[in-house]
Short mmCIF file of all heavy atoms in Angstrom, two decimals:
data_model
loop_
_atom_site.label_atom_id
_atom_site.label_comp_id
_atom_site.label_asym_id
_atom_site.label_seq_id
_atom_site.Cartn_x
_atom_site.Cartn_y
_atom_site.Cartn_z
N ARG A 23 65.80 229.65 90.27
CA ARG A 23 66.53 230.00 89.04
C ARG A 23 66.82 228.75 88.22
O ARG A 23 66.84 228.82 86.98
CB ARG A 23 67.82 230.73 89.41
CG ARG A 23 67.58 232.16 89.91
CD ARG A 23 68.87 232.80 90.42
NE ARG A 23 68.63 234.19 90.82
CZ ARG A 23 69.52 234.94 91.48
NH1 ARG A 23 70.70 234.42 91.81
NH2 ARG A 23 69.22 236.18 91.82
N GLY A 24 67.03 227.65 88.91
CA GLY A 24 67.23 226.39 88.21
C GLY A 24 66.00 225.94 87.43
O GLY A 24 66.11 225.18 86.46
N PHE A 25 64.83 226.42 87.85
CA PHE A 25 63.59 226.13 87.12
C PHE A 25 63.41 227.07 85.93
O PHE A 25 62.42 226.96 85.20
CB PHE A 25 62.37 226.28 88.03
CG PHE A 25 62.32 225.31 89.18
CD1 PHE A 25 61.59 225.62 90.32
CD2 PHE A 25 62.98 224.09 89.12
CE1 PHE A 25 61.53 224.73 91.39
CE2 PHE A 25 62.93 223.18 90.19
CZ PHE A 25 62.20 223.51 91.32
N GLY A 26 64.34 227.99 85.75
CA GLY A 26 64.27 228.92 84.62
C GLY A 26 63.68 230.26 84.94
O GLY A 26 63.45 231.07 84.02
N LEU A 27 63.42 230.55 86.22
CA LEU A 27 62.84 231.84 86.60
C LEU A 27 63.93 232.88 86.82
O LEU A 27 64.99 232.59 87.39
CB LEU A 27 62.03 231.70 87.89
CG LEU A 27 60.67 231.01 87.78
CD1 LEU A 27 60.05 230.89 89.17
CD2 LEU A 27 59.74 231.80 86.87
N ASP A 28 63.66 234.11 86.39
CA ASP A 28 64.59 235.22 86.59
C ASP A 28 64.30 235.87 87.94
O ASP A 28 63.74 236.96 88.02
CB ASP A 28 64.44 236.23 85.45
CG ASP A 28 65.44 237.37 85.56
OD1 ASP A 28 66.47 237.19 86.24
OD2 ASP A 28 65.18 238.44 84.97
N VAL A 29 64.69 235.19 89.02
CA VAL A 29 64.39 235.65 90.37
C VAL A 29 65.42 236.69 90.80
O VAL A 29 66.62 236.39 90.80
CB VAL A 29 64.39 234.47 91.36
CG1 VAL A 29 64.12 234.95 92.78
CG2 VAL A 29 63.35 233.43 90.95
N PRO A 30 65.01 237.91 91.14
CA PRO A 30 65.98 238.91 91.57
C PRO A 30 66.59 238.54 92.92
O PRO A 30 65.99 237.81 93.71
CB PRO A 30 65.15 240.19 91.67
CG PRO A 30 63.75 239.74 91.88
CD PRO A 30 63.62 238.43 91.14
N THR A 31 67.78 239.04 93.17
CA THR A 31 68.44 238.80 94.44
C THR A 31 67.69 239.52 95.55
O THR A 31 67.45 240.73 95.47
CB THR A 31 69.90 239.29 94.39
OG1 THR A 31 70.59 238.54 93.39
CG2 THR A 31 70.58 239.10 95.73
N SER A 32 67.30 238.78 96.57
CA SER A 32 66.53 239.35 97.68
C SER A 32 67.42 239.63 98.87
O SER A 32 68.34 238.87 99.18
CB SER A 32 65.42 238.38 98.10
OG SER A 32 64.75 238.84 99.26
N GLN A 33 67.12 240.73 99.56
CA GLN A 33 67.78 241.06 100.81
C GLN A 33 66.78 241.03 101.97
O GLN A 33 67.05 241.57 103.04
CB GLN A 33 68.43 242.44 100.72
CG GLN A 33 69.62 242.50 99.79
CD GLN A 33 70.81 241.73 100.33
OE1 GLN A 33 71.29 241.98 101.43
NE2 GLN A 33 71.31 240.76 99.55
N ALA A 34 65.67 240.36 101.76
CA ALA A 34 64.62 240.28 102.78
C ALA A 34 64.37 238.82 103.14
O ALA A 34 65.20 237.95 102.85
CB ALA A 34 63.35 240.95 102.26
N ASN A 35 63.25 238.51 103.76
CA ASN A 35 62.94 237.12 104.10
C ASN A 35 61.89 236.54 103.16
O ASN A 35 61.06 235.73 103.55
CB ASN A 35 62.49 236.99 105.56
CG ASN A 35 61.12 237.61 105.81
OD1 ASN A 35 60.75 238.59 105.17
ND2 ASN A 35 60.37 237.05 106.74
N PHE A 36 61.97 236.95 101.92
CA PHE A 36 61.08 236.44 100.88
C PHE A 36 61.78 236.53 99.54
O PHE A 36 62.82 237.19 99.41
CB PHE A 36 59.76 237.22 100.85
CG PHE A 36 59.95 238.71 100.74
CD1 PHE A 36 60.13 239.33 99.50
CD2 PHE A 36 59.96 239.52 101.86
CE1 PHE A 36 60.32 240.69 99.39
CE2 PHE A 36 60.14 240.89 101.77
CZ PHE A 36 60.33 241.47 100.53
N VAL A 37 61.21 235.86 98.55
CA VAL A 37 61.72 235.94 97.19
C VAL A 37 60.58 236.34 96.27
O VAL A 37 59.40 236.16 96.59
CB VAL A 37 62.35 234.61 96.72
CG1 VAL A 37 63.61 234.31 97.50
CG2 VAL A 37 61.35 233.46 96.84
N TRP A 38 60.93 236.90 95.13
CA TRP A 38 59.96 237.42 94.16
C TRP A 38 60.06 236.63 92.87
O TRP A 38 61.14 236.47 92.30
CB TRP A 38 60.25 238.89 93.89
CG TRP A 38 59.39 239.56 92.85
CD1 TRP A 38 59.79 240.02 91.64
CD2 TRP A 38 58.00 239.88 92.96
NE1 TRP A 38 58.74 240.61 90.97
CE2 TRP A 38 57.63 240.53 91.75
CE3 TRP A 38 57.03 239.68 93.94
CZ2 TRP A 38 56.34 240.98 91.52
CZ3 TRP A 38 55.74 240.12 93.71
CH2 TRP A 38 55.40 240.77 92.52
N LEU A 39 58.91 236.14 92.43
CA LEU A 39 58.82 235.40 91.18
C LEU A 39 58.09 236.28 90.17
O LEU A 39 56.87 236.49 90.28
CB LEU A 39 58.04 234.09 91.36
CG LEU A 39 58.72 232.92 92.09
CD1 LEU A 39 59.11 233.29 93.52
CD2 LEU A 39 57.83 231.70 92.10
N PRO A 40 58.79 236.85 89.19
CA PRO A 40 58.17 237.79 88.24
C PRO A 40 57.37 237.05 87.17
O PRO A 40 57.78 236.97 86.01
CB PRO A 40 59.37 238.53 87.66
CG PRO A 40 60.50 237.55 87.74
CD PRO A 40 60.25 236.73 88.98
N LEU A 41 56.19 236.59 87.56
CA LEU A 41 55.39 235.74 86.68
C LEU A 41 54.34 236.50 85.89
O LEU A 41 53.61 235.90 85.10
CB LEU A 41 54.72 234.63 87.51
CG LEU A 41 55.69 233.62 88.12
CD1 LEU A 41 54.97 232.69 89.08
CD2 LEU A 41 56.40 232.83 87.03
N GLY A 42 54.18 237.80 86.13
CA GLY A 42 53.23 238.60 85.36
C GLY A 42 51.81 238.07 85.45
O GLY A 42 51.28 237.83 86.53
N ASP A 43 51.21 237.86 84.30
CA ASP A 43 49.82 237.41 84.26
C ASP A 43 49.64 235.97 84.74
O ASP A 43 48.51 235.50 84.91
CB ASP A 43 49.26 237.55 82.84
CG ASP A 43 49.10 239.01 82.42
OD1 ASP A 43 48.99 239.86 83.33
OD2 ASP A 43 49.10 239.28 81.21
N GLY A 44 50.74 235.27 84.95
CA GLY A 44 50.64 233.90 85.44
C GLY A 44 50.68 233.79 86.95
O GLY A 44 50.68 232.68 87.50
N ALA A 45 50.69 234.94 87.65
CA ALA A 45 50.85 234.93 89.11
C ALA A 45 49.71 234.20 89.81
O ALA A 45 49.92 233.36 90.69
CB ALA A 45 50.98 236.36 89.63
N ALA A 46 48.47 234.54 89.44
CA ALA A 46 47.32 233.94 90.13
C ALA A 46 47.26 232.43 89.91
O ALA A 46 46.99 231.66 90.85
CB ALA A 46 46.03 234.59 89.66
N ALA A 47 47.51 231.99 88.69
CA ALA A 47 47.48 230.56 88.40
C ALA A 47 48.55 229.83 89.19
O ALA A 47 48.32 228.72 89.71
CB ALA A 47 47.65 230.33 86.90
N PHE A 48 49.73 230.40 89.29
CA PHE A 48 50.81 229.80 90.07
C PHE A 48 50.37 229.66 91.53
O PHE A 48 50.57 228.61 92.15
CB PHE A 48 52.07 230.67 89.97
CG PHE A 48 53.25 230.14 90.75
CD1 PHE A 48 54.18 229.32 90.14
CD2 PHE A 48 53.43 230.47 92.08
CE1 PHE A 48 55.28 228.82 90.84
CE2 PHE A 48 54.52 229.98 92.80
CZ PHE A 48 55.44 229.17 92.18
N GLY A 49 49.77 230.72 92.06
CA GLY A 49 49.31 230.68 93.44
C GLY A 49 48.26 229.60 93.67
O GLY A 49 48.25 228.93 94.71
N GLN A 50 47.39 229.42 92.70
CA GLN A 50 46.34 228.39 92.84
C GLN A 50 46.92 226.99 92.85
O GLN A 50 46.48 226.14 93.63
CB GLN A 50 45.33 228.55 91.70
CG GLN A 50 44.46 229.80 91.83
CD GLN A 50 43.65 230.09 90.57
OE1 GLN A 50 43.76 229.37 89.58
NE2 GLN A 50 42.85 231.13 90.61
N VAL A 51 47.92 226.74 92.01
CA VAL A 51 48.55 225.42 92.02
C VAL A 51 49.24 225.17 93.35
O VAL A 51 49.15 224.08 93.93
CB VAL A 51 49.53 225.28 90.85
CG1 VAL A 51 50.32 223.97 90.96
CG2 VAL A 51 48.81 225.34 89.52
#
């Protein structure tokens, strides 16, 4: 969130980054 991402509150052992069409590029980096 400090990086400016609107990360929803997770109740699991993972977090979700709502990056839309930028998801694949983020994964590649």
Side-chain angles (χ1 to χ4, degrees):
R23 288 174 177 169
F25 296 156
L27 286 176
D28 183 21
V29 178
T31 298
S32 173
Q33 291 291 303
N35 69 328
F36 53 84
V37 293
W38 177 248
L39 286 60
L41 294 172
D43 291 337
F48 180 93
Q50 289 169 358
V51 173

